[in-house]
């Protein structure tokens, strides 16, 4: 659910031409106007590093250049603003067209946040999904040091010494390595899957998961005797006709429930 959470944060906070407020209609947060006042009020930089899982550093770097170009293109409104200097616009264009120098890519996220802050007159929210994918892959492929230097150079300036930053959220399966990657980051807070502080606010709810599983069970002649939905797994005691194999039953529960969940939350496909 990491990417789903990041997608939700982006759609809640990002200032867009067409309001995304309708996505939250009927949800609990909609009943709190003091929270909904933040909806659609901030420029957002959203980057996923998942595509940087490559066999060589050169291929991974190419993907990094491409994902930056795509995110810059998403914010082309910057080029229409008189509040952004011509010098910054020129550097913006070079990154968007993938013709910038390596040192310019190192500070690209910070540049984009600086330009967005000028356009919207509000600090920027930065979302970095799967931050650890290129690092773990580089470790196994033999170019970990090069990748560590790249990630450190590109994101530490955006997260540590950036007056245009409101806050940032990073997701990954590995703990954020403050010592080796993001040296000296201030106010860094880590929330792992073992911490339940925000579990009730993100992704699907326990009742929603129970409803989906019960629907799948009813459609497949499966009787759920007991069910307990935990933050990161589900306990179930089930019974089913002897003509059905256990493998088919598990496949139905897992596959069909995933399909129904994607129908309920189509944004996760993005």
């Amino acid at each position: 659910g990491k990417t789903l959470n990041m997608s939700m944060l982006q759609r809640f906070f990002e200032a867009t031409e067409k309001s995304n407020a309708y996505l939250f209609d009927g949800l609990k947060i909609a009943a709190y106007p003091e929270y909904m006042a933040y909806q659609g009020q901030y420029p957002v930089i959203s980057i996923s590093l998942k595509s940087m899982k490559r066999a060589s550093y050169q291929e991974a770097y190419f993907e990094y250049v491409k994902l930056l170009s795509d995110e810059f293109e998403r914010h082309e409104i910057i080029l229409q603003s008189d509040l952004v200097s011509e010098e910054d616009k020129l550097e913006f264009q070079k990154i968007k067209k993938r013709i910038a120098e390596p040192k310019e890519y190192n500070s690209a996220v910070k540049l984009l946040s600086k330009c967005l802050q000028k356009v919207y007159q509000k600090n920027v929210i930065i979302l970095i999904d799967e931050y650890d994918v290129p690092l773990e892959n580089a470790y196994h492929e033999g170019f970990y040091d090069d990748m560590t230097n790249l990630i450190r150079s590109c994101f530490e300036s955006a997260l540590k010494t950036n007056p245009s930053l409101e806050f940032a959220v990073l997701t990954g399966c590995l703990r954020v390595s403050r010592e080796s990657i993001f040296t000296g980051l201030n106010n860094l807070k880590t929330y792992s899957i073992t911490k339940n502080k925000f579990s009730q606010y993100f992704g699907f709810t326990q009742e929603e998961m129970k409803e989906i599983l019960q629907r799948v069970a009813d459609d497949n002649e499966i009787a759920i005797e007991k069910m307990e939905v935990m933050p990161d797994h589900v306990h179930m005691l089930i019974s089913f006709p002897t003509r059905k194999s256990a493998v088919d039953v598990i496949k139905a529960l897992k596959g069909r429930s995933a399909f129904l969940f994607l129908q309920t939350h189509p944004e996760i496909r993005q």
Side-chain angles (χ1 to χ4, degrees):
K2 301 187 302 298
T3 300
L4 174 62
N5 291 342
M6 297 294 259
S7 174
M8 179 177 67
L9 289 172
Q10 179 182 350
R11 281 156 179 74
F12 182 81
F13 286 110
E14 188 166 39
T16 55
E17 185 176 348
K18 181 181 177 181
S19 173
N20 284 322
Y22 73 94
L23 294 173
F24 302 91
D25 288 346
L27 302 183
K28 191 171 183 179
I29 194 171
Y32 295 86
E34 64 270 31
Y35 297 146
M36 289 303 295
Y38 292 97
Q39 198 282 317
Q41 297 300 309
Y42 293 89
V44 174
I45 297 172
S46 180
I47 295 173
S48 172
L49 305 190
K50 187 175 183 178
S51 64
M52 291 176 66
K53 184 178 181 179
R54 299 293 169 178
S56 69
Y57 176 74
Q58 290 72 24
E59 292 178 66
Y61 186 79
F62 175 84
E63 288 297 323
Y64 176 70
V65 169
K66 182 178 181 296
L67 68 88
L68 279 179
S69 172
D70 292 344
E71 185 64 11
F72 271 61
E73 185 174 1
R74 200 172 71 84
H75 295 290
E76 279 191 310
I77 188 175
I78 287 171
L79 299 175
Q80 305 169 15
S81 175
D82 295 331
L83 299 174
V84 179
S85 70
E86 291 303 316
E87 181 181 358
D88 285 342
K89 287 181 180 179
L90 178 61
E91 190 171 346
F92 181 100
Q93 287 275 38
K94 290 167 67 178
I95 294 171
K96 185 176 80 73
K97 295 178 180 179
R98 308 181 199 176
I99 58 174
E101 296 294 326
K103 63 180 181 181
E104 292 174 310
Y105 288 113
N106 288 347
S107 57
V109 177
K110 185 175 183 179
L111 169 69
L112 183 55
S113 61
K114 172 187 173 184
C115 293
L116 288 170
Q117 194 280 330
K118 288 183 178 180
V119 172
Y120 290 92
Q121 296 295 296
K122 282 196 173 183
N123 280 354
V124 178
I125 295 171
I126 297 178
L127 307 176
I128 303 174
D129 195 17
E130 306 280 11
Y131 97 92
D132 57 336
V133 167
L135 294 167
E136 182 184 17
N137 175 71
Y139 176 80
H140 293 293
E141 296 292 346
F143 53 91
Y144 181 76
D145 289 343
D146 288 335
M147 183 56 66
T148 300
N149 289 334
L150 175 64
I151 299 298
R152 181 189 296 118
S153 299
C154 295
F155 292 114
E156 190 168 73
S157 63
L159 301 177
K160 180 181 177 181
T161 56
N162 187 357
S164 302
L165 177 66
E166 182 70 15
F167 67 83
V169 178
L170 286 74
T171 69
C173 293
L174 303 177
R175 181 183 174 91
V176 174
S177 179
R178 188 181 343 201
E179 293 77 14
S180 62
I181 303 172
F182 302 120
T183 307
L185 280 187
N186 298 320
N187 302 316
L188 182 63
K189 297 181 180 180
T190 303
Y191 296 96
S192 71
I193 60 172
T194 61
K195 295 183 178 181
N196 297 328
K197 182 174 182 180
F198 297 111
S199 60
Q200 63 178 311
Y201 304 112
F202 285 84
F204 53 82
T205 65
Q206 290 183 338
E207 290 305 315
E208 185 178 12
M209 197 70 253
K210 285 181 179 180
E211 182 180 336
I212 289 175
L213 289 170
Q214 187 62 61
R215 179 177 168 185
V216 174
D218 292 343
D219 291 344
N220 290 273
E221 300 180 276
I222 301 169
I224 299 178
E225 309 294 344
K226 291 184 179 181
M227 174 167 52
E228 186 176 8
V229 178
M230 306 300 290
D232 58 349
H233 62 279
V234 178
H235 287 300
M236 297 180 68
L237 177 62
I238 62 174
S239 61
F240 49 88
T242 55
R243 67 177 182 277
K244 288 179 173 288
S245 72
V247 172
D248 289 338
V249 169
I250 297 301
K251 186 183 296 185
L253 285 170
K254 293 181 68 175
R256 185 61 180 169
S257 63
F259 175 78
L260 293 174
F261 179 70
L262 286 172
Q263 276 193 325
T264 307
H265 297 282
E267 67 274 10
I268 197 174
R269 295 184 184 274
Q270 304 176 12

